[in-house]
Structure formats: structure tokens, C-alpha cells
Amino acid sequence: MLHWWVIRHWYGDLNDPERFEIFWLDYTTQGRFVDIGIDGESVLNMLRALDRVDLKAVFSASMEEYAARLKKHRWGEKTPGHERHIEPLLNWYPDARVVFLVRDPRAVFASMLRVPWGQKDLLWQTGLWKDSIRTLDRFTHDKRFCAIKYEELVENPERELRKICEFIDEDYLPGMIYQRSEGSSPIPDSKNTGWSRLHLQSTLEKPVTPASTKKWLQELTPKQIATIEHRARREMLEYGYTVSPYRLGCRGRIYLFAVAAPLYALKRICWKLEGSSRCVVRRIVPFRIMKFVRRISSKMSLRNVR
């Protein structure tokens, strides 16, 4: 849903039949919708029964259809990056419960190095981790938020899951830990044989273990560890993470201050400007031009497929 929230200005009022038709074609043919096998016709029937349609209605109907098909009475969403749009989500669902998972930033970066997606930039990943912590700190006293440490979850899963279940008003069941399977935890995109599916399958087959909490000690260099700790020391200590004896030397500090940090700051500025410029373009480009561009791009896509 993050993708559609960012580009919502392209489509405007979804109660306009012409605009909704273009949105619906895009929405139901993009990867995520197709991957998890949502029945578009069922979602469309839910939307037709409403007086007004907006992005929240589309999102809710999609998730309700997905949950119903899997015989679940409640749905949740855990796409990374949602903390950047927490206000719109809480406006949509004021009674929502937010479970915020906090993990050692050194382990986060080591984990990113092992996956075939995402940025491998150390300062960038540390910056995203700090952004998440700032978001959590803003909602520290909000009763809709519950912070759980990843390390404590895998070291004592029953205790932490009982805490989560109490927070979201659900009954704890031992099967949540000991009877995991594709039946209870369906893996999206059943036809995909790529890294994501294989990783999720292998995870379901293994018991919950804290083995991954210290992998970063073997996978990161002393310089990488020292740099992360230098950049996120305050936040790490705030959430109970101990720092290593590694320290940046004089040359390392000079390089970080004079080269790496300015380049990272420039990258962040460009990232924010790019996002803002896209929003401006989407607001000012006339809908008829957008419609024309969409039609041309669709024809080109079909031609490439053929």
C-alpha cells in the first residue's frame, strides 16, 4: 500500500468511474496484488457496495478478501517502511494496534548484506534504523504501540508472544511457535521459486532460535561495527544494546566526517527531493496526459510480452 499511497495523486477521486477504471487496472495487475492471489472480483464487489471509494476502502477490502480466503478472522500488515507513513495509517485505523519490532542495527546491516535486494550502504541502513527509532520514540506513550525486541522474541518466544497476544487482544496458542507450516502461515506467490520463497520455506521448517542474533560478529568487519556504533550509539544504549570495544581510529573519523557523512547527507537530500518532486509532478500533470502515458506504456508492455 505504500506504493499506492505515494502515487495517489495520479488517480485523484476514485469515485470518478474513468479514474477508478485506470486505477483498478494498474492496481490489480501489479506484482504484489497478483503475488498473494487476491480475488479482484471479490474486492470489486465489496467496493461496489460502498457509498464512496478511496484508497483506504481499496486497501481494507483487499486485506479482508485475503483474510477470508485463508479462513482468518483478522488481518495485519508488516511491510517494511510503514513507519514512514504511520500518521495516515492511524488516521485510517484509529483503533489499530502497532507492534514495533526493534533489532540490533549491526544485525540489521549484516542481514541486508545476505539478501539479494535493498541497499548495502552502511550509513544508509544505519540512518533508516535511526529513523525508525525516532518514530517509535514519538509514540512511546501511545497505548496503541507495543515495542518488542527481536533478540528477546527469539530467545523467549512464548513470553514475548504472550505479551503481543495480550496487547492485540488475542489468545496465545502454543501452535504459534511449535506448529508453524504453510497452512498456518501461507507464503505469498506460490509459483515463485526465487530467494524469498525458499527463505520463507526454510524458516518455517526450523524451530525458533536465537542463533542469528550474534551472526554480525563474524559477518561484519571491526570498522563496520565501529561505524554503526559511532552513528547510532545513543539509540543503541537507549534500547539496551551494548557496544563493542571497537573504535574508529583518527583516520576513520576523518574519513567519516569529511567524506562518508557528507556523501550520505547529499544522498538523503536527493532522496527527499526526488520524492517531493514526484509528488509535485503527480499533482500538476493533467489527468488526460497521465491517461495517455498509461495507455502508451500498456501497449509497449504488451508488445514486449508478445
Side-chain angles (χ1 to χ4, degrees):
M1 187 46 56
L2 293 180
H3 170 74
W4 299 104
W5 173 257
V6 172
I7 67 171
R8 65 192 184 281
H9 304 301
W10 274 101
Y11 302 97
D13 185 2
L14 297 183
N15 294 282
D16 181 319
E18 183 183 17
R19 290 171 180 262
F20 181 81
E21 182 181 355
I22 294 175
F23 165 79
W24 189 249
L25 178 62
D26 291 345
Y27 181 69
T28 54
T29 55
Q30 61 94 20
R32 299 290 176 85
F33 189 95
V34 176
D35 287 349
I36 63 178
I38 294 175
D39 184 349
E41 193 61 34
S42 296
V43 176
L44 200 55
N45 289 334
M46 293 184 197
L47 297 176
R48 286 168 178 159
L50 301 176
D51 295 330
R52 287 189 58 79
V53 175
D54 56 16
L55 201 56
K56 176 196 172 182
V58 173
F59 182 49
S60 299
S62 301
M63 294 297 96
E64 287 167 12
E65 191 284 325
Y66 181 61
R69 180 162 52 82
L70 298 177
K71 296 180 174 57
K72 306 289 187 179
H73 72 279
R74 192 173 180 180
W75 59 266
E77 232 285 10
K78 68 175 194 71
T79 303
H82 267 159
E83 71 277 1
R84 299 197 300 272
H85 300 282
I86 198 68
E87 283 84 0
L89 286 169
L90 290 177
N91 289 334
W92 282 3
Y93 308 106
D95 297 324
R97 293 292 179 269
V98 181
V99 179
F100 217 106
L101 192 66
V102 180
R103 189 179 185 184
D104 189 321
R106 297 162 294 193
V108 171
F109 180 65
S111 177
M112 287 302 301
L113 294 178
R114 296 193 297 269
V115 300
W117 45 266
Q119 293 211 35
K120 314 304 179 186
D121 186 304
L122 186 149
L123 294 190
W124 186 266
Q125 290 299 331
T126 305
L128 291 181
W129 186 86
K130 291 178 65 174
D131 289 344
S132 296
I133 294 298
R134 290 191 194 99
T135 300
L136 179 57
D137 288 344
R138 285 169 51 206
F139 293 93
T140 297
H141 303 295
D142 192 318
K143 294 182 179 180
R144 296 172 295 182
F145 280 69
C146 174
I148 298 291
K149 289 183 66 173
Y150 171 86
E151 293 78 13
E152 294 177 359
L153 178 63
V154 295
E155 288 172 4
N156 198 329
E158 181 173 343
R159 183 192 66 197
E160 297 304 303
L161 276 178
R162 285 185 180 277
K163 185 189 303 183
I164 294 172
C165 287
E166 182 180 359
F167 173 67
I168 64 174
D169 196 24
E170 292 287 346
D171 294 329
Y172 166 78
L173 300 173
M176 295 175 178
I177 303 174
Y178 304 109
Q179 296 173 359
R180 297 181 303 148
S181 67
E182 287 196 45
S184 62
S185 304
I187 297 175
D189 194 4
S190 59
K191 296 179 181 179
N192 182 18
T193 57
W195 179 90
S196 179
R197 177 169 180 77
L198 295 175
H199 173 71
L200 291 172
Q201 279 183 319
S202 66
T203 302
L204 282 176
E205 294 168 358
K206 298 175 183 176
V208 178
T209 171
S212 63
T213 59
K214 296 298 182 182
K215 278 186 177 180
W216 57 268
L217 283 168
Q218 288 75 46
E219 297 174 340
L220 300 184
T221 66
K223 184 178 179 180
Q224 289 173 323
I225 295 171
T227 302
I228 294 172
E229 293 175 351
H230 181 79
R231 300 284 289 184
R233 184 183 183 88
R234 182 185 63 80
E235 293 85 356
M236 288 177 62
L237 293 176
E238 178 185 352
Y239 282 88
Y241 294 107
T242 57
V243 295
S244 71
Y246 299 126
R247 295 292 182 269
L248 282 176
C250 183
R251 290 179 60 184
R253 287 174 178 267
I254 292 174
Y255 178 80
L256 180 63
F257 177 77
V259 180
L263 287 175
Y264 164 71
L266 180 61
K267 190 175 181 180
R268 290 273 296 196
I269 291 171
C270 292
W271 176 55
K272 289 182 178 295
L273 287 176
E274 180 186 14
S276 300
S277 62
R278 286 182 179 180
C279 289
V280 170
V281 169
R282 289 170 188 137
R283 286 180 181 273
I284 64 177
V285 172
F287 187 71
R288 62 181 181 277
I289 295 179
M290 181 200 76
K291 183 179 178 182
F292 173 76
V293 172
R294 292 285 183 180
R295 186 185 302 123
I296 296 299
S297 62
S298 296
K299 287 182 179 179
M300 291 180 65
S301 297
L302 288 174
R303 188 178 302 166
N304 290 335
V305 169
R306 290 168 185 165

